[in-house]
Amino acid sequence: MTDTWNGLSRRHVLAATGATALTAGFGLTPAAAADVTIRQGYQTNIWGMPTYYLMKSGYLEKRGLKTEDFAVPSGNLTMQQMVARQVDMGTYAGPSLIIGHDKGGLVAIAQIETVGATGAMVVRKDLGIKTIAELKGKKIANQTGSSIGNIFIDQVCPANGLKKGEFQEVRMDVNNMIAAMAAKTVDAMINIEPYNAIAEAEGLGVSIMDLSKYDQVPVFMAATPDFVEKQPDAIVAYLKAWLDVKKDFKENPKKAADVIYSFFTSKGYDMKQEVFAKAMGRVAVDPGFPKDLVPYMTGHAEVLLKEKKIAAIPDWKKLLRTDFMDKARAGA
């Protein structure tokens, strides 16, 4: 039986959390990275789609790498899997990376993308709410512990006159939030693409702000210290594949978009191409290490320390491992 709310099928709003291993090979195996299988975590939202494209592109296999993929609704769950050493690599934003380093020694091997424009506060259209301050007394869906959840609570709310305790936080996965809005069990959601674009396209919600005003939200590819120690050559080969992905996003964006669009449609999303294009256009894919990261990350670390979510400000030279990307660029 298929549940519907205002014409929106439940299968449109529930993201899959399982996926199969992507292990096709092309016979081109560099000796330094031969027969290495990476347990790759990725989000089933738009933040994880460049990683999904990487796994589907064939670039890893050309460099002697395979992946066993672990799909989750949001990156903070991948971080927890990595702390537990269930996954070798995964993407998430700065706050989750800092917590992962504090709890499990996780390190960043590259900044993959910036996604601040993909995170937004979406309110039910029928409520007519236009500002964050008007959310007092309202039910807000939030994936507690996620990076956008932390940014909303720690930065957006204080800047807009909304204090903790003045709204009801409803904890749920990002991929369940549209259904909750359709059922009117929540009044608003702090969510990311493509869910925001879907909610707007279906006439359920209206975006009243996005996170880019407060945070550009760089998303990092992190690795466990165990994998870094055992497979340094594989990491360099892996980042070379990311540079190939960057080229596709820049020079052949339709190729990348078609692969990612097929992911969402295969999971039952009835999403028009123009809706997807709007969502994907808010992601900037550019693997590397910008020079202004330390001040940015320090700001987040200070908030996390104040909130007692970490024990100390990290040593950034240990957390941000720029050496692997330097080697990948030199040998690309």
Side-chain angles (χ1 to χ4, degrees), residues 178-197:
I178 300 179
M181 289 188 70
K184 297 186 178 181
T185 56
V186 298
D187 302 308
M189 63 180 185
I190 181 69
N191 208 336
I192 55 181
E193 300 296 357
Y195 311 117
N196 299 332

Side-chain angles (χ1 to χ4, degrees), residues 63 236 240 243 325-332:
R63 298 188 181 277
V236 174
K240 288 179 180 179
L243 295 177
M325 180 56 80
D326 290 342
K327 292 177 181 177
R329 291 189 185 280

Side-chain angles (χ1 to χ4, degrees), residues 77-242:
L77 301 178
T78 295
M79 179 269 287
Q80 292 168 22
Q81 290 175 325
M82 292 175 67
V83 170
R85 301 302 189 260
Q86 297 168 348
V87 172
D88 301 313
M89 292 189 189
T91 54
Y92 27 86
S96 290
L97 174 62
I98 294 167
I99 292 171
H101 181 75
D102 183 77
K103 307 303 181 187
L106 309 184
V107 300
I109 59 172
Q111 176 184 308
I112 297 299
E113 56 199 322
T114 53
V115 295
T118 70
M121 170 53 66
V122 178
V123 301
R124 277 183 20 220
K125 189 174 182 178
D126 61 299
L127 296 177
I129 292 173
K130 296 182 179 180
T131 67
I132 299 295
E134 292 177 79
L135 291 170
K136 291 180 180 179
K138 301 300 182 181
K139 296 178 180 179
I140 302 176
N142 182 23
Q143 181 147 341
T144 306
S146 67
S147 293
I148 64 162
N150 288 338
I151 292 168
F152 174 69
I153 296 295
D154 298 334
Q155 297 182 56
V156 178
C157 288
N160 289 276
L162 186 64
K163 300 177 182 179
K164 290 181 180 179
E166 291 185 334
F167 61 93
Q168 183 178 340
E169 183 181 52
V170 182
R171 301 183 178 189
M172 66 176 66
D173 290 344
V174 292
N175 55 11
N176 292 327
M177 292 180 184
I178 300 179
M181 289 188 70
K184 297 186 178 181
T185 56
V186 298
D187 302 308
M189 63 180 185
I190 181 69
N191 208 336
I192 55 181
E193 300 296 357
Y195 311 117
N196 299 332
I198 292 173
E200 291 184 295
E202 294 289 340
L204 292 171
V206 176
S207 174
I208 62 172
M209 56 78 67
D210 70 57
L211 295 184
S212 62
K213 177 181 177 181
Y214 303 90
D215 197 317
Q216 288 300 312
V217 192
V219 173
F220 300 89
M221 181 60 69
T224 66
D226 313 61
F227 194 83
V228 167
E229 181 180 356
K230 295 176 182 178
Q231 301 290 352
D233 293 326
I235 291 178
V236 174
Y238 176 81
L239 291 177
K240 288 179 180 179
W242 265 110

Side-chain angles (χ1 to χ4, degrees), residues 250-314:
K250 182 179 180 180
E251 299 179 4
N252 195 356
K254 188 178 185 304
K255 176 185 175 184
D258 286 348
V259 171
I260 297 169
Y261 181 70
S262 69
F263 171 84
F264 288 109
T265 56
S266 72
K267 304 304 179 186
Y269 286 88
D270 184 14
M271 180 168 37
K272 295 180 180 179
Q273 280 276 9
E274 56 266 29
V275 175
F276 172 75
K278 181 179 179 181
M280 199 65 212
R282 292 169 174 163
V283 180
V285 179
D286 188 13
F289 268 112
K291 295 181 179 179
D292 58 351
L293 275 178
V294 170
Y296 168 84
M297 294 290 280
T298 299
H300 276 295
E302 289 173 345
V303 171
L304 292 171
L305 183 63
K306 183 179 180 180
E307 296 287 331
K308 297 182 180 180
K309 294 177 181 178
I310 59 174
I313 301 295

